[in-house]
Amino acid sequence: MSSHSIRELFYPESIAVVGASKDPMKRGFRSIQKLLEDGYAGAIYPINPKEPEILGLKCYASLGDIPGSIDLALVCTPAKTLPQVIEQCGKKGAKGAVVLAGGFAEAGDDGQRLQDEMVRVAHAYNVRIVGPNTSGVFNTHKACNIVGFSNLKKGDIGLLSQSGNMALSLVTEAEANGHIGLSTYVGIGNESDIQFNEYFDYFAEDENTKVVVAYVEGMKNGRVFLDALRRITRRKPVVLYKSGRTSAGRSSAKSHTGALAGDYAVSEGVLRQAGAVLARKSDEILSLAEALSLLQPLASRRVAVLADGGGHATIAADALSEHGLTLAPLSQETRQRLSAILPPSAAVANPVDVAGGTDSNPAVFADCASILLEDPQVDGLLITGLYGGYGVRFSQSLTPIEMQTSMRIAAMLEARGKPIIVHSLYGSLYSDLRPAPLTCIREAGVPVYDSLELAVRCMQGLAEFGEAQRRPLAEAEDHPVRSPAFETVLSSCRSEHRTVVLEHEARQALADAGVPMPAPAILARSPHEAVAAFERLGSVPVAMKIVSRDIIHKSDAGGVKLNVGSSDGVRQAFENIVANGRKHVQDPDITGVLVTPMAPKGGVEIIIGVVRDPTYGPVMMFGLGGILVEVLKDVVFRSLPLTEDDAHRMLAEIRASEILNGVRGAAPTDKDALVRLMMGISSLCSAFPEIAELDLNPVLAYSSGVAILDARILLEEVSAVTPQ
Amino acid sequence: MSSHSIRELFYPESIAVVGASKDPMKRGFRSIQKLLEDGYAGAIYPINPKEPEILGLKCYASLGDIPGSIDLALVCTPAKTLPQVIEQCGKKGAKGAVVLAGGFAEAGDDGQRLQDEMVRVAHAYNVRIVGPNTSGVFNTHKACNIVGFSNLKKGDIGLLSQSGNMALSLVTEAEANGHIGLSTYVGIGNESDIQFNEYFDYFAEDENTKVVVAYVEGMKNGRVFLDALRRITRRKPVVLYKSGRTSAGRSSAKSHTGALAGDYAVSEGVLRQAGAVLARKSDEILSLAEALSLLQPLASRRVAVLADGGGHATIAADALSEHGLTLAPLSQETRQRLSAILPPSAAVANPVDVAGGTDSNPAVFADCASILLEDPQVDGLLITGLYGGYGVRFSQSLTPIEMQTSMRIAAMLEARGKPIIVHSLYGSLYSDLRPAPLTCIREAGVPVYDSLELAVRCMQGLAEFGEAQRRPLAEAEDHPVRSPAFETVLSSCRSEHRTVVLEHEARQALADAGVPMPAPAILARSPHEAVAAFERLGSVPVAMKIVSRDIIHKSDAGGVKLNVGSSDGVRQAFENIVANGRKHVQDPDITGVLVTPMAPKGGVEIIIGVVRDPTYGPVMMFGLGGILVEVLKDVVFRSLPLTEDDAHRMLAEIRASEILNGVRGAAPTDKDALVRLMMGISSLCSAFPEIAELDLNPVLAYSSGVAILDARILLEEVSAVTPQ
């Protein structure tokens, strides 16, 4: 289907308002009023068979009566009229329609049918649909606002929202702020036709949008969403708020990984992986967007703090640390230069406290800022305290000095390319009370916050976007090779109507996928074979585990014997295991007993798993094993396929990651081996979408190499397996 | 010493300004100007030998020349003049002096000597001192503002700050807010005479102060601070921000507990124990104080959410959960009553979403609020969304309805005693733009926030204060009995110049202190005694551990043998252990070998310890044992003595507390046994201040009872032990 670029919907040369009205309370009136007020330059065609004119514009009985062509239709009529209206739009050659009405998919089966019908017609006529059930769209750069939001300032932040009220919140916050402007808004609505991904692609290209804000409740197709997010975040920051964090985990999941895959934990991992700057609180969304629209990303996490009081210096240091930023160590030279211009009581280590050194001459702020930004260890600067309010606090004669200082500091943005953020306690004062130097420095491109923590959060956002931009590109999506051996396993699973891949089969599959399998595992079908396996393994102590499609919890079934060290012992263990299995389940299908050398002592217990998330598709979980981690849910997620960078970040992102570096004198674990293991699992699961869940639990990670102590693979229900 | 009540410093009938000036930049001018401006009703006496008058007031050459008496002296002269000025204050009968000058204890040894001299004079003349190195004090209810802060609104929040800039921040924020008023301010300064505790006691009594805000960097005497905090928080909320969270732990501490006692972790535990509402961010301090000054504390953590849009409803639910609050389950009746007045698409389970049911009639908000507050399961109400802005958003004709609705909702505060908080996206609009219904409802006592998360944080603050008020009173400080047996141990430690209490001595001390010691531990001094002990214990498998003042890390020295099960084995183990000890250290003093029955398998590994915090004195730590907890620092602290309530809260407050309730089918651990153990340790450490550090690590907690696997006690260095 050759569809219209959705750009034409945001830059329409003509708009028809279907369901135009003379009632000032109705959208069919208010949007026309707003277009006229804002001076929209294109043609506006009200459609209403009962009115001759609305707001001075000639009214048409139907779309077909319009003399010219139309780019966009705003449809204000009820749900049931839609298929017909869209057909008329199509016949008229409209490129898109914004459908406000509710009563579609969100309202149950009948609504879903109506929506499907509308979309069918739209596709037939190549009309792109925004919504239905949307608050509308605006583009301040085209003076095209059919939402009706007032007091919009033109700017460079694009807004995508699944909640009309959240959009209104953000617009109102921008209005209160006075400095923040918006470029474009889309109420996502039901995503019946155009979905998040197309809007992301549009924003990536839109020359008037520098930063995108997305309020996301759910998504129709998580993989497609992530792909588009990955594309746009290479070029522009996306501040994303994902709501619905506290819903219960997937209690139906069968695997350990599934049970730990809380919705938000998965979203958090995969959205950050795709490059989003995730807002954790709704009240930081717009400030993050503002900082990202004004400033370069941070090149590292090293920040200098310039304070004019000990209290703010201390709070800033605390907040930086809590946000994962570090106080840049200052060079000897930097400290000497600061000492030369500050009083003896000043602190010239980071955080820098001028200790009254600016009271009579706030220009010293710019001198200090310049010195700090010249230090190659410093990648960003946070100014905190009274800056901008010296005229208010001390003497009005200082205000002109502060104005010049503001211009000097703002000029450093350009010169050094390092972000500068100001926290000022006078930032909380509005309108006529707000000191002019703060307005001046903000207009020159340095954001000003009245909350010190918010200023630090925004600095963190700049670091996050910097890291997202520097992340290595995923290798071109390769076509993973399906190993014939695992194809055979799948065939037998299908023919045997089982979804449980037996452990020896799983181990083979992993080995085939290039997962380094440190220890051989031999399936023994008789006591005799078990002894032979034992001897083949060098007669070292072995672990023996039952292999049966009917027994999932092997230990509970008495199906595991550890540290078996003699031929006699192995024979006896085989018989015990099989006998226990028979006692445990009625007439079980016992394939045999797996014999493996005991894993070396020590090592850090790890769990690695894959589940198919209903939204995002296959995602990998990484965490430390053991009961504590389960309780503390200290696990991280990424969508597959994984890059090596993703895998390394997963190791670093668990809260207990310090353990992997070696604590209490332990040697560091072999992170490269873990990464290789994770990459292999990623390949296997990419090659075989039939794999529903995979658990390696536990894996022991040593200072050199890893050992997989248990491997479980569950397949999609046979009926769901790709039909051949 | 009968000292003046410090109340007289805050309600002075006369003020002398020592170092009064005609220079408008100087405090000696500005404070007089401010007192006059504000209409201070008492007498003002400028002191300056060179001026005949200042700001129309007669100037005196010295304090002695003043005709009347003076209550308070504001001293603006430099540090070196202070002893003499205080002496003059004393001779004149001044009750207090506010000393602005720096250059005292904060400036080094000379300054410390000057400060000591000043305080000596002050004590001799019974003059109370605020500061030195302070920004000053104000009391809006006496129109007595010698700080010079402008635009102060009279109110009921008292402010204690160790940073002048933080005080200025909070005052400026209150000014920007427009609704928040302050009663009293004190710049703590160097606390040379009056310390935090006296200010807390003063605020507890002050009829004009309902809530206290304290910005604390450090404290001179942590125990006294905590005692006063405990007293005031029985009567009034204290919102406390403790800065300096990221300083390194006490690397010098010898015990495990000491190493984990990060400064902030200890502060957090003991300050909350004493009833403070701890602000974690500087930008939430004033909002918390506002909520606590307006509203009753929450009776439980169950809150109802009333939203007019799905976005805000979802974000509110997420935020409540992240703040440890719960969505109150609504009764059948409540839901039916809501259904009766809301459209069919409304959500009548908590969070309630009116789904347009208020668009044409915002009075429905009050109807819903009333229904929700009548539900006995609901203890607090959060209204979130567009409330107050219906006139702006929809039609001006709705504004009068919203005004009435505001009054109706505010009246429910009184009627039900349950807190109500409003989040409104229109709360971000200031001055002339802010909708009148929001101003109206705030003035009627319902706080309004423009941040949904901040609204929820304030609700959480109300829950925290409620819990602090409901906590059981500590039993009257009993005089713990010093057991003669441990006195004997102390004597031998002293005579042997050792600070290590041997394990068998430590176990005896714990038993004497009433700690239930589940298993006997027998010290054997020979292989023969070891066998006898083994037999006395019933010939069950035993653990054997070396007892030697010279060997701290017993395992490393080969000094531990586990699971020894025969007389021969015990004999051999004894000999091995002693031989290993001799190999490990040159000529060790080996007391013997401790023989204990092996602890039962299973159980949750716990660490309990006590250290003497340099600020707060003895504090107890509780956490789960093991390496993960060490890395994740999942431990909590309380100051001693402990109440049973404290101990129970410690069990509940660790992040992994779920483990104590039993996970993966395990039985819950015996919390009562843990609490008894903690109470016993508390008694022991209270009775014996000689104990510097105590570590029980690990303790195994079973479904019934506990086992202490290792007990270590370190004494203060002998020279530091109480001299007899």
Side-chain angles (χ1 to χ4, degrees), chain A residues 282-283 451 453 630 664, chain B residues 282-283 451 453 630 655 664:
Chain A
S282 64
D283 61 4
S451 152
E453 283 85 0
E630 188 175 355
R664 284 195 191 169
Chain B
S282 65
D283 60 5
S451 153
E453 283 84 0
E630 187 174 354
R655 276 179 282 158
R664 285 195 191 169

Side-chain angles (χ1 to χ4, degrees), chain A residues 25 30 147-149 163 165-166 168-169 172-173 175-176 215 217 241-246 256 280-283 308-312 314-315 317-318 321-322 386 393-395 423 425-426 428-431 433 451-454 624-634 655-659 663-664, chain B residues 25 30 147-149 163 165-166 168-169 172-173 175-176 215 217 241-246 256 280-283 308-312 314-315 317-318 321-322 386 393-395 423 425-426 428-431 433 451-454 624-634 655-659 663-664:
Chain A
M25 288 295 286
R30 294 212 321 259
V147 188
F149 289 146
S163 154
N165 281 3
M166 267 311 295
L168 183 60
S169 279
T172 309
E173 188 186 338
E175 181 188 355
Y215 173 82
E217 292 179 343
Y241 184 96
K242 173 76 179 71
S243 77
R245 283 184 263 190
T246 49
H256 206 77
R280 298 276 323 195
K281 307 198 308 160
S282 64
D283 61 4
D308 54 0
H312 290 121
T314 310
I315 297 172
D318 286 351
S321 155
E322 284 168 5
L386 281 62
R393 175 80 185 124
F394 299 109
S395 161
H423 156 254
L425 61 94
Y426 295 97
S428 60
L429 297 174
Y430 279 76
S431 54
L433 286 172
S451 152
L452 181 42
E453 283 85 0
L454 184 58
L624 300 191
I627 199 162
L628 258 181
V629 168
E630 188 175 355
V631 167
L632 295 173
K633 307 237 182 316
D634 184 18
R655 275 179 283 159
S657 66
E658 204 183 320
I659 285 184
V663 289
R664 284 195 191 169
Chain B
M25 289 294 286
R30 294 211 321 258
V147 188
F149 289 147
S163 153
N165 281 4
M166 268 311 294
L168 182 61
S169 280
T172 308
E173 189 186 336
E175 181 188 355
Y215 172 82
E217 291 180 344
Y241 184 96
K242 173 75 178 74
S243 77
R245 283 184 264 192
T246 49
H256 207 77
R280 300 275 325 193
K281 307 199 308 161
S282 65
D283 60 5
D308 53 0
H312 291 121
T314 310
I315 297 172
D318 286 350
S321 155
E322 284 168 6
L386 281 62
R393 175 81 184 121
F394 298 109
S395 161
H423 156 254
L425 60 93
Y426 296 97
S428 61
L429 297 173
Y430 278 75
S431 54
L433 287 172
S451 153
L452 181 43
E453 283 84 0
L454 185 57
L624 300 192
I627 199 161
L628 259 181
V629 168
E630 187 174 354
V631 167
L632 295 173
K633 308 235 182 319
D634 183 19
R655 276 179 282 158
S657 65
E658 204 183 319
I659 285 184
V663 289
R664 285 195 191 169

Side-chain angles (χ1 to χ4, degrees), chain A residues 392-577:
Chain A
V392 179
R393 175 80 185 124
F394 299 109
S395 161
Q396 283 192 355
S397 64
L398 298 176
T399 298
I401 302 176
E402 282 196 288
M403 298 292 280
Q404 287 162 18
T405 306
S406 288
M407 297 312 294
R408 277 179 61 202
I409 292 174
M412 294 173 201
L413 280 184
E414 202 63 40
R416 299 262 155 219
K418 297 176 179 179
I420 305 171
I421 291 178
V422 170
H423 156 254
S424 172
L425 61 94
Y426 295 97
S428 60
L429 297 174
Y430 279 76
S431 54
D432 51 329
L433 286 172
R434 196 176 223 204
L438 291 181
T439 304
C440 162
I441 199 167
R442 171 59 181 79
E443 288 302 317
V446 177
V448 177
Y449 301 101
D450 59 342
S451 152
L452 181 42
E453 283 85 0
L454 184 58
V456 171
R457 172 67 183 106
C458 290
M459 194 63 93
Q460 183 193 33
L462 297 172
E464 288 169 357
F465 182 58
E467 285 158 14
Q469 286 225 306
R470 289 192 298 277
R471 74 196 188 277
L473 278 169
E475 291 97 70
E477 187 99 20
D478 50 322
H479 295 284
V481 179
R482 290 171 69 98
S483 78
F486 196 62
E487 290 280 17
T488 311
V489 169
L490 286 182
S491 297
S492 40
C493 287
R494 270 193 290 262
S495 64
E496 294 165 23
H497 299 287
R498 62 180 162 102
T499 54
V500 177
V501 175
L502 299 174
E503 185 174 347
H504 67 290
E505 296 169 332
R507 287 180 177 268
Q508 188 57 50
L510 289 163
D512 290 351
V515 173
M517 300 298 283
I522 302 173
L523 178 69
R525 292 169 194 275
S526 67
H528 178 75
E529 281 185 23
V531 172
F534 170 67
E535 286 166 359
R536 187 132 63 90
L537 293 170
S539 299
V540 296
V542 292
M544 296 173 66
K545 286 190 281 185
I546 197 163
V547 177
S548 165
R549 59 177 288 186
D550 298 320
I551 296 170
I552 304 286
H553 299 291
K554 301 171 194 127
S555 294
D556 297 353
V560 180
K561 301 280 173 191
L562 300 178
N563 239 334
V564 189
S566 67
S567 299
D568 269 3
V570 166
R571 192 173 299 112
Q572 202 182 327
F574 187 98
E575 277 161 3
N576 281 346
I577 285 172

Side-chain angles (χ1 to χ4, degrees), chain B residues 273 620 622 636 638 642-653 671 674-676 678-679:
Chain B
Q273 178 188 20
M620 184 182 291
F622 173 84
V636 290
R638 289 292 187 277
L642 222 54
T643 65
E644 288 199 5
D645 180 66
D646 290 332
H648 278 290
R649 281 180 192 273
M650 290 174 84
L651 304 191
E653 277 179 20
K671 292 188 185 175
L674 280 171
V675 168
R676 278 195 300 278
M678 292 158 82
M679 296 304 289

Side-chain angles (χ1 to χ4, degrees), chain A residues 4 7 25 185-186 190 292 313 323 347 354 380 520 533 590 614 638 662 677:
Chain A
H4 288 294
R7 180 179 167 87
M25 288 295 286
Y185 165 73
V186 190
N190 289 2
L292 286 160
H323 286 81
V354 300
I590 296 174
R638 290 291 187 278
L677 172 56

